[in-house]
Amino acid sequence: MTAADNPTAPVKYKRVMLKISGEALMGDQGYGLHPPTVARIAQEVKSVRDMGVEVCMVIGGGNIFRGLAGSAQGMERTTADYMGMLATVMNALAMQSALEQLGVFTRVISAIPMDQVCEPYIRRRAVRHLEKKRVCIFAAGTGNPYFTTDTAATLRANEMACEAIFKGTKVDGVYDKDPKKHADAKRYEEVSYDECLAKHLGVMDASAIALARDNDLPIIVFSLDEPGGFKGILAGQGTYTIVRG
């Protein structure tokens, strides 16, 4: 039995933030939500929660609407960003439903009050949910336009005293160039915050990287498409890149 198979095995982090893009919920579709993919990611989250790890999540909204893209097409930027925030709420509710079907108690917490569908963001209440082993899904970004969900994830991770941010992507770490286009792409085992910023490595946007750097919060980039990858890394296995000072 490996450490990843043993739910009582010691884990490196006790409270983590999982950041995924809205596109991760599309599966092979070009738009929207793919329920089997949502269910698969929910199972990954449950497996980590079952190890005793407290889990927060932030999910982007790019599978439904991306504010920056809307702005580029002539829409007023603030309006476009608020529409993108609402898209993240839809994704959060879908993930909540999938987790609760697996028996995982979950709270969707929105930076924009909408009391009929989710809780407003109150830091102390959110911390208490985590202490009770509920998964907290933070929706609507920071509640402000011009800030990405990467920045929202880093902000909430700091507020919740998370020990690391796990950034789930399509590839198993950070590369010096796109590994899908370049066979000679080099994967970093470890990279510094400043190097990410200087080389524009695309881990997260610059505001998120700077906020993580200023609070010494490591970012672990891994493949969300690898079954058991999230759980495996917490158990000390798997392939990933860690971003830290």
Side-chain angles (χ1 to χ4, degrees), residues 96-214:
Q96 179 184 44
S97 176
L99 283 165
E100 291 188 341
Q101 287 180 39
L102 297 173
V104 178
F105 293 108
T106 309
R107 293 292 186 272
V108 173
I109 301 170
S110 173
I112 299 174
M114 47 186 82
D115 296 345
Q116 289 181 305
V117 294
C118 49
E119 292 185 8
Y121 176 68
I122 300 171
R123 188 184 68 85
R124 288 182 179 274
R125 181 186 292 175
V127 169
R128 186 64 180 142
H129 288 319
L130 290 172
E131 291 171 348
K132 291 183 176 181
K133 307 305 180 185
R134 297 166 182 157
V135 173
C136 289
I137 307 174
F138 296 105
T142 66
N144 302 288
Y146 296 94
F147 289 93
T148 67
T149 50
D150 280 346
T151 302
T154 311
L155 174 65
R156 297 291 184 242
N158 280 305
E159 290 179 303
M160 295 298 106
C162 291
E163 297 169 353
I165 299 175
F166 280 71
K167 175 75 182 285
T169 69
K170 294 286 186 182
V171 293
D172 58 356
V174 179
Y175 286 78
D176 59 353
K177 48 192 168 185
D178 190 342
K180 294 184 178 179
K181 295 179 181 177
H182 304 277
D184 62 341
K186 171 192 169 187
R187 184 178 65 81
Y188 296 95
E189 293 285 340
E190 181 174 332
V191 63
S192 71
Y193 304 111
D194 290 338
E195 194 172 0
C196 281
L197 292 170
K199 294 184 177 179
H200 305 285
L201 294 177
V203 176
M204 287 181 160
D205 67 72
S207 297
I209 294 289
L211 184 58
R213 178 192 62 194
D214 292 348

Side-chain angles (χ1 to χ4, degrees), residues 25-52:
L25 306 184
M26 293 192 308
D28 294 328
Q29 302 174 154
Y31 178 82
L33 289 157
H34 183 238
T37 299
V38 178
R40 177 181 64 79
I41 295 172
Q43 184 61 57
E44 294 275 331
V45 174
K46 179 182 185 298
S47 69
V48 167
R49 201 289 310 262
D50 288 347
M51 296 171 76

